[in-house]
Amino acid sequence: MIGGSVRWSPVGAGGGRAGADEWVERVRAATDIVELVGQTVPLRRVGRNHVGRCPFHDEKSPSFSVNADRQFYHCFGCKAGGDAFKFVMETEKVGFLEAVELLSRRAGIPVPERRARDGQKRAPLLEAIDAAASQYEQWLADPQVGGEARAYLEKRGITRETQREFRLGLSLPGWENLVPRLRGRFHEDVLLEARLAGRREGGRGAYDWFRNRLMVPLIEPGGAVVGFGARAMGDEQPKYLNSPESAVYHKSRFLYGLEHARRALKADGELVVVEGYFDVIALHQAGVRNVVAASGTALTPEHAQRIRQMVRGVALTFDGDAAGQNAMLRSLGVLLAAGLDVAVVDLPAGDDPDTLVRRAGADGWCRVRDSAYDAVEFVHRHVLRTATGGDPRERALQVVVRMLTGVQDTIRLQLLVERSSQVFGIPERVIEQAVRRARVPDSARASSPVVPVPSRPVHELDRALLRALWAAPEAIADVRELVAPTDLVEGAARDLAERWWRDGVSIPSEEGEAAALARGLAAEQQGEGWDPQAELVGAVRRLQVRRLQDEMRTIRARLPSASPEESEALLQQVHDIGQKLKQLSQ
């Protein structure tokens, strides 16, 4: 791993394509792959190679080999391999050019500006912002002027080591503290564009933009500081003042904490996404390293795509207040549209990740993470809990339909429709049609017929179970052992199941909804190749999942009013159910 806190250094002059190629080869020649890999993987020499345990998959016997002569690595277990640039790309979660830049600074080689047109802007901006960050760090560490800010951070449980790791700092009260220190090194226009300074009325000189604020540097992967989030130390408004967009800072794609999180990420793992800078810092300090936050904006498609390049899952963890809950609702569709698996960690009202880990540590975080909702279940629970007026179930389903319209992957969409059908008790075909209609422009939709939702529909999952049982009645004894009639949604399906569990599979002699359902099942024509046994196995598993999810929902509903002792027991039940669900999913 590339150690230490990387500082942005002065860039060299760009030299076109030839210059860029020459720079890459200089960096390659200056990098010893054995030394580089050895910072991450303990290696021992075996013949002409160096051997250790692979950093890309779990293994007991070393199968990871580094060849010093040819400057490449290869794992005989997972087949990972490449040169020094590829190793940095995989371990640091960065692109090729970022990897070259990291190794370039490591070797003390100047980094040429990649975009000649932006070079004259980017380089001095980054140098000025980094110089400001260093000055803010010094003021925070100062025994006299930084005392109040350090006391505030200590009260929040943030250690000095963590303060240094995240380069936290302090801007002083008053109008002329930073600018006079930087004016000799940087042109005033650079300080103004970086929003380190503001211009006085009439254009007479510049003043400090950030004053009497706790400074949180916004650090990109690789170590470059691109801006600041500044928290007021007193009653000044706004409470948080963020750097504006610039040639180096784009808030629509910047993720705070990614510089520290990327080393803890695995391609098949997840990224915890929170709201605030101090949520990231507190979780990181508690040992939860795979955590980031959006910077002064809602989650955007650019954020989601950047996350998808690194991991496949997100644990969305916003504050437990109404604003945080609504922000999660807005973010779900963005994340699902990017193809991410989303779990929603629903914190108690008044709680946030920062206060949670300060009170209960990493174990407390793990407990609430284990009890996370899936996206559909969270929408169902949140809207039903907060809706005022109208039919909350209908409103929740409309939110889900809007959420699904951005999902383009057919398989993922089908799984989400199936889950929505389970949670709301609405046939899958109705939800699918609602999603299709929601994707059609309003002008085209006006002439389309509206399909009414049946008043007492038979859930598609219940119908699948009963349909397969009608075709394979000999399986009723095995099915009886795994599911009960009460696992089916109330109505004709449950009534018919009670009869079949008791009397065997047949059409009831008494007229009614159960008999009509049985006749309908008997009359259904299945396509060629239909396998009733396979449908039965799948339906039984999905019914078991639905039952466990219902049990988990009931337990979670009791949590807000439970005592601390009861909460501990309830969270353990949620954890146990989560383990059963995981087994069923496998």
Side-chain angles (χ1 to χ4, degrees):
M1 207 81 56
I2 296 176
S5 178
V6 181
R7 296 290 195 269
W8 186 269
S9 56
V11 299
R17 180 68 196 172
D21 290 343
E22 180 184 352
W23 167 59
V24 171
E25 292 310 314
R26 282 184 65 197
V27 173
R28 190 191 306 277
T31 302
D32 177 15
I33 196 169
V34 175
E35 179 188 353
L36 174 69
V37 174
Q39 294 180 5
T40 302
V41 181
L43 298 173
R44 61 185 179 87
R45 189 180 183 96
V46 178
R48 300 179 65 180
N49 294 330
H50 292 76
V51 177
R53 293 184 181 178
C54 180
F56 305 116
H57 79 287
D58 294 329
E59 62 177 8
K60 296 181 179 179
S61 300
S63 62
F64 185 80
S65 176
V66 182
N67 187 299
D69 295 335
R70 298 177 60 189
Q71 290 290 301
F72 76 92
Y73 66 91
H74 177 76
C75 176
F76 293 92
C78 69
K79 308 306 180 185
D83 60 6
F85 299 139
K86 183 65 177 295
F87 185 80
V88 173
M89 291 169 65
E90 294 297 327
T91 55
E92 302 287 324
K93 301 296 187 295
V94 294
F96 174 76
L97 287 175
E98 287 79 6
V100 181
E101 286 180 5
L102 285 168
L103 290 175
S104 182
R105 295 193 190 93
R106 180 177 181 270
I109 298 173
V111 178
E113 180 54 51
R114 281 185 260 151
R115 288 171 289 278
R117 190 161 52 177
D118 287 344
Q120 294 180 348
K121 282 189 175 182
R122 287 176 54 84
L125 277 178
L126 288 167
E127 291 180 55
I129 294 170
D130 191 81
S134 297
Q135 183 59 64
Y136 293 143
E137 286 181 276
Q138 291 179 29
W139 280 328
L140 178 63
D142 187 281
Q144 296 179 332
V145 299
E148 181 183 352
R150 290 196 306 276
Y152 169 79
L153 291 170
E154 289 167 7
K155 184 178 178 181
R156 296 192 69 147
I158 300 173
T159 65
R160 282 295 294 151
E161 180 182 357
T162 300
Q163 294 171 33
R164 286 189 290 268
E165 186 175 2
F166 283 85
R167 298 194 65 185
L168 301 185
L170 175 68
S171 58
L172 299 183
W175 297 84
E176 294 185 352
N177 291 292
L178 180 71
V179 169
R181 284 170 170 78
L182 299 185
R183 188 180 280 126
R185 297 171 54 191
F186 304 99
H187 193 280
E188 193 170 277
D189 288 344
V190 172
L191 303 182
L192 290 167
E193 185 168 351
R195 197 53 66 86
L196 298 171
R199 193 181 296 279
R200 298 183 187 279
E201 291 184 12
R204 300 186 307 275
Y207 60 86
D208 291 358
W209 181 258
F210 296 109
R211 303 178 301 279
N212 195 31
R213 287 177 177 268
L214 188 63
M215 304 301 293
V216 181
L218 308 180
I219 305 174
E220 277 282 12
V225 183
V226 296
F228 296 95
R231 188 192 190 283
M233 289 298 298
D235 298 327
E236 294 87 353
Q237 293 298 321
K239 182 178 179 180
Y240 275 97
L241 184 63
N242 293 317
S243 293
E245 295 234 345
S246 68
V248 297
Y249 171 54
H250 307 283
K251 66 180 180 180
S252 63
R253 70 181 303 272
F254 178 82
L255 291 167
Y256 178 73
L258 186 56
E259 158 66 6
H260 301 86
R262 58 198 170 96
R263 299 180 182 91
L265 301 182
K266 296 181 179 179
D268 60 348
E270 72 176 15
L271 195 60
V272 179
V273 177
V274 298
E275 281 189 276
Y277 304 133
F278 286 97
D279 293 327
V280 171
I281 293 169
L283 282 167
H284 182 90
Q285 182 174 277
V288 182
R289 302 298 173 88
N290 56 325
V291 55
V292 298
S295 174
T297 183
L299 279 174
T300 66
E302 290 82 3
H303 287 136
Q305 288 299 329
R306 195 172 192 188
I307 293 170
R308 186 65 185 88
Q309 291 168 1
M310 296 179 286
V311 294
R312 46 177 302 191
V314 166
L316 199 57
T317 317
F318 288 1
D319 295 356
D321 58 16
Q325 302 278 294
N326 290 329
M328 281 200 281
L329 282 178
R330 291 192 297 270
S331 301
L332 288 175
V334 173
L335 295 170
L336 291 173
L340 288 156
D341 299 327
V342 185
V344 181
V345 182
D346 194 13
L347 299 179
D351 230 342
D352 58 40
D354 179 14
T355 58
L356 174 70
V357 294
R358 275 196 276 162
R359 184 181 70 250
D363 289 342
W365 156 255
C366 291
R367 285 195 295 271
V368 296
R369 172 61 189 88
D370 286 344
S371 64
Y373 298 97
D374 61 61
V376 174
E377 189 177 9
F378 172 74
V379 172
H380 179 265
R381 179 178 185 272
H382 174 68
V383 175
L384 282 152
R385 182 178 57 190
T386 60
T388 56
D391 183 349
R393 184 165 169 267
E394 179 183 351
R395 288 179 58 187
L397 190 54
Q398 288 173 346
V399 172
V400 168
V401 168
R402 288 197 298 271
M403 184 175 74
L404 300 188
T405 56
V407 180
Q408 300 301 320
D409 183 86
T410 304
I411 295 175
R412 178 176 293 272
L413 179 60
Q414 180 56 44
L415 292 173
L416 287 166
V417 167
E418 180 181 307
R419 178 64 180 139
S420 302
S421 175
Q422 294 173 357
V423 171
F424 287 92
I426 298 293
E428 292 175 24
R429 62 180 181 276
V430 174
I431 299 173
E432 288 171 348
Q433 186 160 1
V435 173
R436 284 197 299 270
R437 284 174 53 77
R439 286 173 169 170
V440 176
D442 291 341
S443 57
R445 196 185 309 153
S447 60
S448 302
V450 176
V451 178
V453 177
S455 56
R456 291 192 69 191
V458 175
H459 195 285
E460 285 294 301
L461 176 55
D462 299 351
R463 177 180 285 276
L465 177 78
L466 298 173
R467 179 172 56 232
L469 272 175
W470 176 261
E474 68 280 359
I476 185 64
D478 294 330
V479 173
R480 256 193 224 111
E481 299 296 320
L482 299 171
V483 296
T486 52
D487 291 326
L488 281 67
V489 176
E490 287 186 10
R494 184 182 292 187
D495 293 343
L496 185 60
E498 288 175 349
R499 292 173 181 270
W500 285 6
W501 264 239
R502 184 182 67 241
D503 304 327
V505 178
S506 63
I507 298 177
S509 55
E510 306 90 347
E511 282 302 319
E513 290 185 351
L517 174 59
R519 286 195 296 270
L521 294 171
E524 282 188 13
Q525 298 294 319
Q526 305 303 328
E528 184 178 352
W530 179 62
D531 184 349
Q533 291 286 352
E535 181 161 20
L536 194 59
V537 170
V540 167
R541 180 188 60 81
R542 289 157 60 198
L543 277 167
Q544 291 175 308
V545 168
R546 187 169 75 184
R547 179 210 304 149
L548 289 169
Q549 289 170 335
D550 288 342
E551 289 177 11
M552 185 177 285
R553 197 156 43 236
T554 300
I555 294 170
R556 284 172 172 157
R558 294 169 54 194
L559 279 170
S561 59
S563 66
E565 294 78 11
E566 292 171 331
S567 295
E568 193 72 28
L570 291 173
L571 286 171
Q572 183 60 50
Q573 291 179 44
V574 167
H575 174 77
D576 293 343
I577 292 173
Q579 294 303 308
K580 293 177 183 177
L581 286 169
K582 187 179 296 184
Q583 292 173 5
L584 284 170
S585 69
Q586 294 170 350

